[in-house]
Amino acid sequence: MNIWTKLAEFAVIETERLRLRPFSYQDAEDFYAIASNPKNLEFIFPSQASIEESQYVLANYFMRNPLGVWAICDKESQRMIGSIKFEKLDEIKKKQS
């Protein structure tokens, strides 16, 4: 079993208040609400100027390769309120002697 198999096993993660799940195209409006505010993305990527730009980013950067990428959803409102992504995963685990 490699890291990608493990990530696939945990495609959905739930806590008392939050649900982490794969992104869907229906998240575009919530994503745009977050991504259109430059203060929310200061160190991540440029803010989106339109819903169409948000749809493009959502499909190409979050949905295209979904393993290790989650939409963070508020369970009560069912709205997507953020995202989390594993970066630079190393499949090869080196043994230390």
Side-chain angles (χ1 to χ4, degrees):
M1 182 177 296
N2 68 7
I3 188 70
W4 304 109
T5 307
K6 273 298 202 192
L7 287 172
E9 184 181 348
F10 295 102
V12 176
I13 301 168
E14 292 199 30
T15 69
E16 186 177 317
R17 295 180 21 234
L18 301 174
R19 183 171 191 244
L20 280 63
R21 59 158 175 79
F23 275 89
S24 76
Y25 200 71
Q26 286 70 36
D27 292 322
E29 286 187 33
D30 290 339
F31 182 69
Y32 176 67
I34 295 166
S36 63
N37 183 342
K39 290 181 181 180
N40 290 338
L41 306 170
E42 189 173 352
F43 303 106
I44 305 171
F45 51 79
S47 62
Q48 273 99 68
S50 68
I51 188 74
E52 292 80 12
E53 191 175 353
S54 286
Q55 290 167 335
Y56 177 87
V57 170
L58 185 69
N60 286 275
Y61 296 100
F62 292 92
M63 295 174 67
R64 189 173 176 177
N65 296 306
L67 293 178
V69 180
W70 294 272
I72 302 171
C73 301
D74 176 72
K75 278 185 167 178
E76 188 174 321
S77 69
Q78 297 296 310
R79 296 196 64 160
M80 192 273 294
I81 59 172
S83 67
I84 189 167
K85 178 181 181 181
F86 284 126
E87 292 282 344
K88 300 179 184 175
L89 291 175
D90 187 2
E91 273 188 82
I92 302 170
K93 188 176 182 179
K94 294 182 181 180
K95 291 185 179 184
Q96 293 183 352
S97 301

